[in-house]
Amino acid sequence: MKMRKVAIVGAGLTKFVRRALETPKELSYEATKTALDSCGLRLEDIDCVAHGTAPDAFDGIHQNGEYMVDGCGGWNKPTMRVYVGGATGVHAIVHGWHHVASGMFDTCLVVCEEKMSSAMPHAQGFFLTIFDAITERALHPNLLWIFALEMNRYMNRYGYTKEDMALAAVNNKMNGLKHPASQFRDEVTVEDVLNSEIMAYPVSRLDVSPVSDGAAAVVLAAEPVARRITDKPVWIEGVGWTLDTAYWATRDLYYPRYLDTAARMAYDMAGIREPAKQINIAEPYDPFDYKALHHMEGLQLSPRGKTVELLRDGHFARDGNLPMCPSGGLLGVGNPIAAAGTMKVCELFWQLRGEADERQVPGNPRLGVAQAWGDLMQVSSVVVVGI
Amino acid sequence: MSKRVAIVGIGYAGFRTTSSDISYREMIFEAATKCYEDAGGIHPHDIDSFVASSEDFMEGISIADEYVPDQLGAVLKPVQSIAGDSLQGLASAVMQIKTGKLNVVATSAFSKVSNLSHYENVEAYATDPVYVRPFQEHPAYLAGLEMNRYLYESGTTREQCAAVVVKNKYNALDNPRAAYGAKISIDDILGAPDLSSPLGIHDASGHLDGAVVLLLATEEKALRMTDKPIWIKGIGWGTDTPNLDSRLEGFGAAIYARLAAKQAYAMAGITAPYSELDIAEVDDTFSYKQLQHLEALNICGPGEAGKLLELGCFDAAGDLPVNISGGSLGVGYLHEANGLHRVLETALQLRGEAGKKQLPDVETGLAFAWRGIPTATGTAVILGRRP
């Protein structure tokens, strides 16, 4: 059956900040309004709302999707919240694509929000309750702890050093300095990363993205409607998503097989046979520096174990063959969890339209991929967009 | 409609007031196994995608999505969670199939509310943290206020609400899944203590543990997998503002039900629901909600539901049998699994497999679910024996 073509026609972001004065609803409102204004639409023109936030615990609200409805313009409309942990931000686009590609709606507003600063003393505390209540929680693991295991395994498998990983952090953080929504202002060097405080070896503080507040939104439209709204629609060419087993300790962590499956699903849909050659921009999910590289391999954009070499050769720089995280990613812009994934899709939207200002990737990029990752190191969502 | 969608497999487990001998994941495994058997013994490898519906606070797990795949046989498959009633999860599954990219999609939901010692404390976390929660009242008072407003606006009487309880609890007596069946009189109900006046303790449904898994497929697949497909002819969902004081038509109107029904009826081509439907399973979390929802669903005019009920129109032998299963008041309240439970009961009637409860000549049915206080979200689905 022929698929209904769906385009992104507008995008909006709030600034990503450490402590926003705005409430979660107000952050959502700002991103929603900016996205609608960017394509000259009003809420009345929107048929449905697909939104996402990560754990309810951050806002401290049960059935948080209901509470957020005002801010994201979902009242008196069909509104549905989707949820796949950290992968929610990109997955919400997939969720929105379901709405429009199904033929049930012509326009869909996708909104993601996260306000992590309300968590006291630290947002990481909320992640203590994501673990299996019987087999894991008794060990008091936290996210840094399990990602340290994964980082260690990845480095060990290919003989990578902490300096190799720090290069990815510097690539993304330096890109992020040019992003108007970024919460950072300072340049970062490899030495800075290596000298930063160890959180859980081998993870140091600057290997990790920050705690952030923010929201992001995009507007989706079906083909004929999209062409009426804008001369420069950015088409959703392929989507993919996969969840692996909850028993993360039974998996070999050096390779993200969940992403392998999700990426292949998206590329198949987009008719992409050689992603490393065909994709012009990659926005892999980078809450940790090693994850950016790990995910480039899972996305089939870099041969396993060769990613650091390519990084050192400038292959992934803004002016390289395959720019990685030209937005700055989570390391460079900030990590309001669900909103961070959507921010990556916003970046591709602006890059492919040639509207990324100082961040613009040279050479008229035509095809980009964004990815997010979450849960117990087990889920990935992938969106391929093109012009 | 771009593509017809049918329910090809039905499985359920639990339906007990407490289930200390089995975990929620084991309960879902049982329901999923029965569902796949029912669908002609399909192996989960042959299922394209999975949708679960859940809320973190009900499970005591942040990011409950992590624990979805294993018991469904969905490891390394496309899986997502909808943070909403399971009828919204069903809607997501329907949209996925209608994109033309996925052919067979499973959807699951469960309630393990017996794990909670004080459900009302979780429910209180769904109320507005600034304007409502500080009152520190039992959240049922919101239902008491709304009931009062509904009775005032519609002219419905307290006795008519009690008659809903009498009918549904009586209907439940022959339903093997029901935990709250009873022969109870209007006087018993009116003479019982108040939960929050005018809402009595018998006007509220009791909690239940249970899991439901349904398998959906395209027309082409469905006809090969089963000789008794149940067609999803229409589906719609809607949300009003979460702010109690700014709902457009006040507290007594269930705008969400009207929006959901409008979309579902339009898709199914239904213009006169009262005469075109043969059966309806309509939310009855509280007695008055059943009447309020019947009116909002355009099954009868404003203020008419109570009168039609008294005339016996909604009885098994009436014009439109409503909640012949016993509904939430008779079977029990399954939280986010309520929606799939209503579909389960309707689909069994359409298949002619409702046992002692079986009605003659059931061709078309409606299932409608609401998410409970303090939410304003509802989903309606039209099911048919013929496409």
Side-chain angles (χ1 to χ4, degrees), chain A residues 56 60 62-63 66 70 76 79 81 83 91 129-132 241 243 245-246 375 378, chain B residues 55 62-63 65-67 70 76-78 80-81 83 88 125 239 241 243 248 371 377:
Chain A
D56 285 10
H62 176 47
Q63 299 176 327
E66 299 288 324
D70 288 338
N76 285 347
T79 299
R81 175 182 168 212
Y83 179 49
H91 196 81
T129 51
I130 69 170
F131 293 94
D132 187 290
W241 69 105
L243 237 98
T245 172
D375 285 7
Q378 87 202 87
Chain B
E55 283 287 354
S62 259
I63 322 188
D65 179 59
E66 295 163 352
Y67 298 98
D70 298 86
L76 279 177
K77 285 281 191 176
Q80 67 173 26
S81 288
Q88 284 193 309
Y125 267 93
T239 295
T241 168
N243 289 333
L248 272 186
R371 291 195 75 195
T377 293

mmCIF file of all heavy atoms in Angstrom, chain A residues 56 60 62-63 66 70 76 79 81 83 91 129-132 241 243 245-246 375 378, chain B residues 55 62-63 65-67 70 76-78 80-81 83 88 125 239 241 243 248 371 377:
data_model
loop_
_atom_site.group_PDB
_atom_site.id
_atom_site.type_symbol
_atom_site.label_atom_id
_atom_site.label_comp_id
_atom_site.label_asym_id
_atom_site.label_seq_id
_atom_site.Cartn_x
_atom_site.Cartn_y
_atom_site.Cartn_z
ATOM 1 N N ASP A 56 6.746 10.478 35.097
ATOM 2 C CA ASP A 56 5.814 11.339 35.825
ATOM 3 C C ASP A 56 6.474 11.950 37.054
ATOM 4 O O ASP A 56 6.100 13.029 37.504
ATOM 5 C CB ASP A 56 4.611 10.512 36.307
ATOM 6 C CG ASP A 56 3.659 10.169 35.180
ATOM 7 O OD1 ASP A 56 4.029 10.407 34.025
ATOM 8 O OD2 ASP A 56 2.563 9.666 35.468
ATOM 9 N N GLY A 60 6.132 15.294 39.336
ATOM 10 C CA GLY A 60 5.462 14.927 40.589
ATOM 11 C C GLY A 60 3.969 14.792 40.420
ATOM 12 O O GLY A 60 3.204 15.044 41.343
ATOM 13 N N HIS A 62 0.772 12.365 38.918
ATOM 14 C CA HIS A 62 0.228 11.130 38.369
ATOM 15 C C HIS A 62 -0.605 11.501 37.141
ATOM 16 O O HIS A 62 -1.257 12.544 37.138
ATOM 17 C CB HIS A 62 -0.640 10.477 39.455
ATOM 18 C CG HIS A 62 -1.354 9.235 39.018
ATOM 19 N ND1 HIS A 62 -0.730 8.218 38.340
ATOM 20 C CD2 HIS A 62 -2.630 8.845 39.178
ATOM 21 C CE1 HIS A 62 -1.602 7.256 38.099
ATOM 22 N NE2 HIS A 62 -2.769 7.606 38.592
ATOM 23 N N GLN A 63 -0.588 10.664 36.121
ATOM 24 C CA GLN A 63 -1.284 10.953 34.864
ATOM 25 C C GLN A 63 -0.856 12.337 34.334
ATOM 26 O O GLN A 63 -1.681 13.184 34.011
ATOM 27 C CB GLN A 63 -2.803 10.870 35.044
ATOM 28 C CG GLN A 63 -3.239 9.488 35.480
ATOM 29 C CD GLN A 63 -4.723 9.375 35.767
ATOM 30 O OE1 GLN A 63 -5.347 10.322 36.231
ATOM 31 N NE2 GLN A 63 -5.286 8.209 35.512
ATOM 32 N N GLU A 66 -2.302 14.270 31.315
ATOM 33 C CA GLU A 66 -3.542 15.029 31.474
ATOM 34 C C GLU A 66 -3.240 16.451 31.929
ATOM 35 O O GLU A 66 -3.790 17.426 31.431
ATOM 36 C CB GLU A 66 -4.433 14.370 32.537
ATOM 37 C CG GLU A 66 -4.845 12.968 32.201
ATOM 38 C CD GLU A 66 -5.861 12.922 31.082
ATOM 39 O OE1 GLU A 66 -6.710 13.820 31.008
ATOM 40 O OE2 GLU A 66 -5.785 11.992 30.268
ATOM 41 N N ASP A 70 -3.125 21.588 28.875
ATOM 42 C CA ASP A 70 -3.302 23.026 28.637
ATOM 43 C C ASP A 70 -2.112 23.641 27.922
ATOM 44 O O ASP A 70 -2.246 24.370 26.957
ATOM 45 C CB ASP A 70 -3.457 23.771 29.970
ATOM 46 C CG ASP A 70 -4.783 23.482 30.597
ATOM 47 O OD1 ASP A 70 -5.690 23.092 29.870
ATOM 48 O OD2 ASP A 70 -4.894 23.642 31.830
ATOM 49 N N ASN A 76 -9.760 20.016 24.280
ATOM 50 C CA ASN A 76 -10.820 19.928 23.272
ATOM 51 C C ASN A 76 -10.308 19.393 21.939
ATOM 52 O O ASN A 76 -10.793 19.767 20.870
ATOM 53 C CB ASN A 76 -11.518 21.278 23.072
ATOM 54 C CG ASN A 76 -12.456 21.576 24.236
ATOM 55 O OD1 ASN A 76 -12.751 20.685 25.028
ATOM 56 N ND2 ASN A 76 -12.911 22.797 24.343
ATOM 57 N N THR A 79 -5.909 14.055 22.072
ATOM 58 C CA THR A 79 -4.557 14.247 22.592
ATOM 59 C C THR A 79 -4.095 12.937 23.195
ATOM 60 O O THR A 79 -4.846 12.295 23.917
ATOM 61 C CB THR A 79 -4.570 15.349 23.670
ATOM 62 O OG1 THR A 79 -5.010 16.547 23.075
ATOM 63 C CG2 THR A 79 -3.195 15.566 24.269
ATOM 64 N N ARG A 81 -0.595 10.906 24.950
ATOM 65 C CA ARG A 81 0.796 10.972 25.403
ATOM 66 C C ARG A 81 1.485 9.628 25.197
ATOM 67 O O ARG A 81 0.947 8.596 25.571
ATOM 68 C CB ARG A 81 0.836 11.345 26.884
ATOM 69 C CG ARG A 81 2.237 11.320 27.470
ATOM 70 C CD ARG A 81 2.235 11.642 28.952
ATOM 71 N NE ARG A 81 3.525 11.342 29.527
ATOM 72 C CZ ARG A 81 3.706 10.929 30.774
ATOM 73 N NH1 ARG A 81 2.677 10.782 31.579
ATOM 74 N NH2 ARG A 81 4.912 10.666 31.217
ATOM 75 N N TYR A 83 5.197 7.321 25.577
ATOM 76 C CA TYR A 83 6.189 7.262 26.613
ATOM 77 C C TYR A 83 7.135 6.078 26.434
ATOM 78 O O TYR A 83 6.714 4.933 26.530
ATOM 79 C CB TYR A 83 5.409 7.166 27.935
ATOM 80 C CG TYR A 83 6.286 7.081 29.113
ATOM 81 C CD1 TYR A 83 7.316 7.987 29.254
ATOM 82 C CD2 TYR A 83 6.126 6.091 30.060
ATOM 83 C CE1 TYR A 83 8.162 7.899 30.319
ATOM 84 C CE2 TYR A 83 6.961 5.998 31.130
ATOM 85 C CZ TYR A 83 7.981 6.892 31.257
ATOM 86 O OH TYR A 83 8.819 6.793 32.302
ATOM 87 N N HIS A 91 10.662 9.573 19.782
ATOM 88 C CA HIS A 91 9.514 8.690 19.592
ATOM 89 C C HIS A 91 8.214 9.466 19.432
ATOM 90 O O HIS A 91 7.296 9.019 18.739
ATOM 91 C CB HIS A 91 9.384 7.670 20.720
ATOM 92 C CG HIS A 91 8.482 6.549 20.355
ATOM 93 N ND1 HIS A 91 8.897 5.489 19.589
ATOM 94 C CD2 HIS A 91 7.162 6.378 20.544
ATOM 95 C CE1 HIS A 91 7.877 4.706 19.351
ATOM 96 N NE2 HIS A 91 6.805 5.219 19.918
ATOM 97 N N THR A 129 14.217 4.560 41.111
ATOM 98 C CA THR A 129 13.022 3.695 41.120
ATOM 99 C C THR A 129 12.722 3.099 39.745
ATOM 100 O O THR A 129 11.623 2.624 39.506
ATOM 101 C CB THR A 129 11.792 4.480 41.600
ATOM 102 O OG1 THR A 129 11.703 5.679 40.834
ATOM 103 C CG2 THR A 129 11.905 4.830 43.061
ATOM 104 N N ILE A 130 13.714 3.136 38.833
ATOM 105 C CA ILE A 130 13.446 2.535 37.522
ATOM 106 C C ILE A 130 13.888 1.073 37.501
ATOM 107 O O ILE A 130 13.649 0.365 36.538
ATOM 108 C CB ILE A 130 14.140 3.274 36.364
ATOM 109 C CG1 ILE A 130 15.663 3.079 36.423
ATOM 110 C CG2 ILE A 130 13.789 4.753 36.379
ATOM 111 C CD1 ILE A 130 16.359 3.580 35.165
ATOM 112 N N PHE A 131 14.548 0.636 38.552
ATOM 113 C CA PHE A 131 15.157 -0.699 38.526
ATOM 114 C C PHE A 131 14.205 -1.766 39.043
ATOM 115 O O PHE A 131 13.294 -1.479 39.818
ATOM 116 C CB PHE A 131 16.454 -0.690 39.333
ATOM 117 C CG PHE A 131 17.519 0.161 38.712
ATOM 118 C CD1 PHE A 131 17.685 1.489 39.104
ATOM 119 C CD2 PHE A 131 18.310 -0.330 37.699
ATOM 120 C CE1 PHE A 131 18.646 2.291 38.504
ATOM 121 C CE2 PHE A 131 19.271 0.463 37.088
ATOM 122 C CZ PHE A 131 19.436 1.783 37.493
ATOM 123 N N ASP A 132 14.473 -3.004 38.639
ATOM 124 C CA ASP A 132 13.653 -4.125 39.073
ATOM 125 C C ASP A 132 13.632 -4.176 40.602
ATOM 126 O O ASP A 132 14.676 -4.211 41.256
ATOM 127 C CB ASP A 132 14.230 -5.435 38.514
ATOM 128 C CG ASP A 132 13.312 -6.603 38.789
ATOM 129 O OD1 ASP A 132 13.182 -7.015 39.968
ATOM 130 O OD2 ASP A 132 12.713 -7.100 37.826
ATOM 131 N N TRP A 241 11.512 1.960 15.629
ATOM 132 C CA TRP A 241 11.641 1.954 17.089
ATOM 133 C C TRP A 241 11.678 0.518 17.584
ATOM 134 O O TRP A 241 11.039 -0.363 17.021
ATOM 135 C CB TRP A 241 10.527 2.763 17.746
ATOM 136 C CG TRP A 241 9.135 2.197 17.652
ATOM 137 C CD1 TRP A 241 8.451 1.598 18.670
ATOM 138 C CD2 TRP A 241 8.252 2.197 16.525
ATOM 139 N NE1 TRP A 241 7.201 1.233 18.222
ATOM 140 C CE2 TRP A 241 7.051 1.585 16.924
ATOM 141 C CE3 TRP A 241 8.358 2.640 15.210
ATOM 142 C CZ2 TRP A 241 5.963 1.402 16.055
ATOM 143 C CZ3 TRP A 241 7.286 2.461 14.341
ATOM 144 C CH2 TRP A 241 6.110 1.855 14.766
ATOM 145 N N LEU A 243 12.355 -1.982 21.348
ATOM 146 C CA LEU A 243 12.678 -2.180 22.757
ATOM 147 C C LEU A 243 13.346 -3.531 22.929
ATOM 148 O O LEU A 243 12.889 -4.524 22.386
ATOM 149 C CB LEU A 243 11.409 -2.161 23.610
ATOM 150 C CG LEU A 243 11.394 -1.125 24.721
ATOM 151 C CD1 LEU A 243 10.625 0.071 24.240
ATOM 152 C CD2 LEU A 243 10.781 -1.650 25.976
ATOM 153 N N THR A 245 15.066 -6.433 25.809
ATOM 154 C CA THR A 245 14.621 -7.003 27.087
ATOM 155 C C THR A 245 14.910 -6.072 28.271
ATOM 156 O O THR A 245 15.868 -5.295 28.245
ATOM 157 C CB THR A 245 15.299 -8.370 27.341
ATOM 158 O OG1 THR A 245 14.998 -8.795 28.664
ATOM 159 C CG2 THR A 245 16.805 -8.284 27.192
ATOM 160 N N ALA A 246 14.086 -6.200 29.312
ATOM 161 C CA ALA A 246 14.318 -5.433 30.534
ATOM 162 C C ALA A 246 15.527 -5.971 31.298
ATOM 163 O O ALA A 246 16.060 -5.303 32.168
ATOM 164 C CB ALA A 246 13.070 -5.495 31.422
ATOM 165 N N ASP A 375 15.051 4.119 28.623
ATOM 166 C CA ASP A 375 14.680 3.010 29.504
ATOM 167 C C ASP A 375 15.938 2.411 30.136
ATOM 168 O O ASP A 375 16.878 3.128 30.439
ATOM 169 C CB ASP A 375 13.857 1.948 28.756
ATOM 170 C CG ASP A 375 12.408 2.394 28.508
ATOM 171 O OD1 ASP A 375 12.095 3.563 28.805
ATOM 172 O OD2 ASP A 375 11.602 1.592 28.030
ATOM 173 N N GLN A 378 17.808 0.198 26.675
ATOM 174 C CA GLN A 378 17.183 -0.863 25.898
ATOM 175 C C GLN A 378 16.311 -0.387 24.750
ATOM 176 O O GLN A 378 15.810 -1.202 23.990
ATOM 177 C CB GLN A 378 16.338 -1.736 26.850
ATOM 178 C CG GLN A 378 14.914 -1.232 27.078
ATOM 179 C CD GLN A 378 14.263 -1.734 28.337
ATOM 180 O OE1 GLN A 378 14.419 -1.150 29.399
ATOM 181 N NE2 GLN A 378 13.521 -2.816 28.228
ATOM 182 N N GLU B 55 0.610 3.720 33.694
ATOM 183 C CA GLU B 55 1.056 4.938 34.369
ATOM 184 C C GLU B 55 2.040 4.542 35.466
ATOM 185 O O GLU B 55 1.783 3.631 36.245
ATOM 186 C CB GLU B 55 -0.151 5.670 34.989
ATOM 187 C CG GLU B 55 -0.994 6.439 33.978
ATOM 188 C CD GLU B 55 -0.322 7.701 33.462
ATOM 189 O OE1 GLU B 55 0.764 8.065 33.950
ATOM 190 O OE2 GLU B 55 -0.901 8.325 32.549
ATOM 191 N N SER B 62 9.363 4.052 38.084
ATOM 192 C CA SER B 62 9.542 5.121 37.118
ATOM 193 C C SER B 62 9.910 4.452 35.801
ATOM 194 O O SER B 62 10.704 3.512 35.794
ATOM 195 C CB SER B 62 10.646 6.079 37.569
ATOM 196 O OG SER B 62 10.096 7.225 38.122
ATOM 197 N N ILE B 63 9.386 4.976 34.689
ATOM 198 C CA ILE B 63 9.657 4.400 33.371
ATOM 199 C C ILE B 63 9.174 2.949 33.314
ATOM 200 O O ILE B 63 9.942 2.009 33.050
ATOM 201 C CB ILE B 63 11.142 4.479 32.968
ATOM 202 C CG1 ILE B 63 11.784 5.785 33.419
ATOM 203 C CG2 ILE B 63 11.265 4.327 31.468
ATOM 204 C CD1 ILE B 63 13.188 6.005 32.875
ATOM 205 N N ASP B 65 7.648 1.543 31.176
ATOM 206 C CA ASP B 65 7.820 1.050 29.805
ATOM 207 C C ASP B 65 8.930 0.002 29.691
ATOM 208 O O ASP B 65 8.870 -0.890 28.846
ATOM 209 C CB ASP B 65 8.126 2.256 28.905
ATOM 210 C CG ASP B 65 8.340 1.884 27.464
ATOM 211 O OD1 ASP B 65 7.407 1.312 26.878
ATOM 212 O OD2 ASP B 65 9.419 2.176 26.923
ATOM 213 N N GLU B 66 9.932 0.108 30.570
ATOM 214 C CA GLU B 66 11.058 -0.840 30.542
ATOM 215 C C GLU B 66 10.603 -2.283 30.643
ATOM 216 O O GLU B 66 11.227 -3.180 30.078
ATOM 217 C CB GLU B 66 11.969 -0.590 31.760
ATOM 218 C CG GLU B 66 12.649 0.731 31.762
ATOM 219 C CD GLU B 66 13.187 1.057 33.165
ATOM 220 O OE1 GLU B 66 12.899 0.330 34.135
ATOM 221 O OE2 GLU B 66 13.902 2.048 33.271
ATOM 222 N N TYR B 67 9.543 -2.507 31.411
ATOM 223 C CA TYR B 67 9.159 -3.876 31.749
ATOM 224 C C TYR B 67 8.039 -4.406 30.849
ATOM 225 O O TYR B 67 7.385 -5.370 31.182
ATOM 226 C CB TYR B 67 8.785 -3.953 33.236
ATOM 227 C CG TYR B 67 9.971 -3.584 34.090
ATOM 228 C CD1 TYR B 67 10.112 -2.298 34.598
ATOM 229 C CD2 TYR B 67 10.998 -4.500 34.295
ATOM 230 C CE1 TYR B 67 11.240 -1.944 35.329
ATOM 231 C CE2 TYR B 67 12.129 -4.154 35.019
ATOM 232 C CZ TYR B 67 12.248 -2.875 35.535
ATOM 233 O OH TYR B 67 13.368 -2.520 36.238
ATOM 234 N N ASP B 70 9.246 -8.269 27.679
ATOM 235 C CA ASP B 70 9.530 -9.694 27.890
ATOM 236 C C ASP B 70 8.279 -10.568 27.937
ATOM 237 O O ASP B 70 8.183 -11.576 27.257
ATOM 238 C CB ASP B 70 10.375 -9.873 29.148
ATOM 239 C CG ASP B 70 11.716 -9.176 29.009
ATOM 240 O OD1 ASP B 70 11.793 -7.969 29.293
ATOM 241 O OD2 ASP B 70 12.669 -9.824 28.551
ATOM 242 N N LEU B 76 13.214 -6.911 21.341
ATOM 243 C CA LEU B 76 13.788 -6.449 20.070
ATOM 244 C C LEU B 76 12.721 -6.225 18.996
ATOM 245 O O LEU B 76 12.954 -6.435 17.808
ATOM 246 C CB LEU B 76 14.877 -7.396 19.560
ATOM 247 C CG LEU B 76 16.247 -7.197 20.214
ATOM 248 C CD1 LEU B 76 17.240 -8.217 19.701
ATOM 249 C CD2 LEU B 76 16.783 -5.783 19.966
ATOM 250 N N LYS B 77 11.561 -5.809 19.438
ATOM 251 C CA LYS B 77 10.464 -5.490 18.517
ATOM 252 C C LYS B 77 10.058 -4.036 18.742
ATOM 253 O O LYS B 77 10.339 -3.471 19.795
ATOM 254 C CB LYS B 77 9.262 -6.379 18.851
ATOM 255 C CG LYS B 77 9.416 -7.804 18.393
ATOM 256 C CD LYS B 77 9.116 -7.873 16.933
ATOM 257 C CE LYS B 77 8.979 -9.298 16.436
ATOM 258 N NZ LYS B 77 8.590 -9.297 15.030
ATOM 259 N N PRO B 78 9.340 -3.447 17.793
ATOM 260 C CA PRO B 78 8.790 -2.116 18.039
ATOM 261 C C PRO B 78 7.774 -2.186 19.196
ATOM 262 O O PRO B 78 6.792 -2.912 19.110
ATOM 263 C CB PRO B 78 8.112 -1.767 16.717
ATOM 264 C CG PRO B 78 8.820 -2.587 15.701
ATOM 265 C CD PRO B 78 9.139 -3.881 16.413
ATOM 266 N N GLN B 80 5.925 0.420 22.330
ATOM 267 C CA GLN B 80 5.810 1.741 22.948
ATOM 268 C C GLN B 80 4.730 1.696 24.015
ATOM 269 O O GLN B 80 3.861 0.828 24.000
ATOM 270 C CB GLN B 80 5.463 2.808 21.909
ATOM 271 C CG GLN B 80 4.065 2.632 21.324
ATOM 272 C CD GLN B 80 3.639 3.777 20.419
ATOM 273 O OE1 GLN B 80 4.467 4.449 19.832
ATOM 274 N NE2 GLN B 80 2.345 4.000 20.328
ATOM 275 N N SER B 81 4.809 2.642 24.955
ATOM 276 C CA SER B 81 3.776 2.759 25.974
ATOM 277 C C SER B 81 2.982 4.029 25.736
ATOM 278 O O SER B 81 3.551 5.070 25.421
ATOM 279 C CB SER B 81 4.396 2.815 27.363
ATOM 280 O OG SER B 81 4.908 1.553 27.710
ATOM 281 N N ALA B 83 0.744 6.568 27.789
ATOM 282 C CA ALA B 83 0.371 6.939 29.156
ATOM 283 C C ALA B 83 -1.068 7.419 29.090
ATOM 284 O O ALA B 83 -1.350 8.604 29.008
ATOM 285 C CB ALA B 83 1.301 8.023 29.682
ATOM 286 N N GLN B 88 -6.888 4.294 24.400
ATOM 287 C CA GLN B 88 -5.972 5.146 23.635
ATOM 288 C C GLN B 88 -4.840 4.287 23.081
ATOM 289 O O GLN B 88 -4.384 4.510 21.961
ATOM 290 C CB GLN B 88 -5.424 6.271 24.507
ATOM 291 C CG GLN B 88 -6.437 7.387 24.737
ATOM 292 C CD GLN B 88 -5.815 8.622 25.334
ATOM 293 O OE1 GLN B 88 -5.107 8.555 26.326
ATOM 294 N NE2 GLN B 88 -6.091 9.772 24.749
ATOM 295 N N TYR B 125 -2.293 12.537 43.606
ATOM 296 C CA TYR B 125 -1.153 13.072 42.862
ATOM 297 C C TYR B 125 -1.516 13.429 41.421
ATOM 298 O O TYR B 125 -0.701 14.009 40.711
ATOM 299 C CB TYR B 125 0.023 12.091 42.891
ATOM 300 C CG TYR B 125 0.973 12.393 44.025
ATOM 301 C CD1 TYR B 125 0.847 11.763 45.245
ATOM 302 C CD2 TYR B 125 1.962 13.357 43.872
ATOM 303 C CE1 TYR B 125 1.694 12.069 46.294
ATOM 304 C CE2 TYR B 125 2.803 13.674 44.910
ATOM 305 C CZ TYR B 125 2.680 13.035 46.128
ATOM 306 O OH TYR B 125 3.512 13.347 47.151
ATOM 307 N N THR B 239 -10.042 15.190 24.865
ATOM 308 C CA THR B 239 -9.585 15.630 26.176
ATOM 309 C C THR B 239 -10.085 17.050 26.427
ATOM 310 O O THR B 239 -10.001 17.900 25.545
ATOM 311 C CB THR B 239 -8.036 15.613 26.225
ATOM 312 O OG1 THR B 239 -7.598 14.272 26.086
ATOM 313 C CG2 THR B 239 -7.508 16.162 27.538
ATOM 314 N N THR B 241 -9.861 20.418 29.282
ATOM 315 C CA THR B 241 -8.784 20.953 30.112
ATOM 316 C C THR B 241 -8.751 20.251 31.473
ATOM 317 O O THR B 241 -9.793 19.887 32.017
ATOM 318 C CB THR B 241 -8.952 22.475 30.312
ATOM 319 O OG1 THR B 241 -8.045 22.883 31.331
ATOM 320 C CG2 THR B 241 -10.351 22.829 30.763
ATOM 321 N N ASN B 243 -7.954 21.751 34.124
ATOM 322 C CA ASN B 243 -8.319 22.746 35.139
ATOM 323 C C ASN B 243 -9.803 22.655 35.434
ATOM 324 O O ASN B 243 -10.642 22.965 34.589
ATOM 325 C CB ASN B 243 -7.981 24.166 34.666
ATOM 326 C CG ASN B 243 -6.484 24.386 34.657
ATOM 327 O OD1 ASN B 243 -5.763 23.745 35.412
ATOM 328 N ND2 ASN B 243 -6.025 25.261 33.793
ATOM 329 N N LEU B 248 -14.947 24.189 29.618
ATOM 330 C CA LEU B 248 -15.753 25.116 28.818
ATOM 331 C C LEU B 248 -17.221 25.162 29.214
ATOM 332 O O LEU B 248 -17.811 26.219 29.307
ATOM 333 C CB LEU B 248 -15.652 24.749 27.341
ATOM 334 C CG LEU B 248 -14.486 25.385 26.587
ATOM 335 C CD1 LEU B 248 -14.590 25.056 25.117
ATOM 336 C CD2 LEU B 248 -14.459 26.888 26.799
ATOM 337 N N ARG B 371 -10.954 8.134 31.962
ATOM 338 C CA ARG B 371 -9.763 7.830 32.761
ATOM 339 C C ARG B 371 -9.925 8.062 34.253
ATOM 340 O O ARG B 371 -8.956 7.980 34.995
ATOM 341 C CB ARG B 371 -8.572 8.658 32.282
ATOM 342 C CG ARG B 371 -8.072 8.262 30.945
ATOM 343 C CD ARG B 371 -6.708 8.847 30.686
ATOM 344 N NE ARG B 371 -5.675 8.154 31.436
ATOM 345 C CZ ARG B 371 -4.449 8.639 31.614
ATOM 346 N NH1 ARG B 371 -4.123 9.808 31.123
ATOM 347 N NH2 ARG B 371 -3.569 7.947 32.301
ATOM 348 N N THR B 377 -10.517 12.887 29.959
ATOM 349 C CA THR B 377 -10.171 12.222 28.704
ATOM 350 C C THR B 377 -11.035 10.984 28.540
ATOM 351 O O THR B 377 -11.218 10.224 29.489
ATOM 352 C CB THR B 377 -8.685 11.810 28.700
ATOM 353 O OG1 THR B 377 -7.886 12.984 28.682
ATOM 354 C CG2 THR B 377 -8.354 10.983 27.464
#
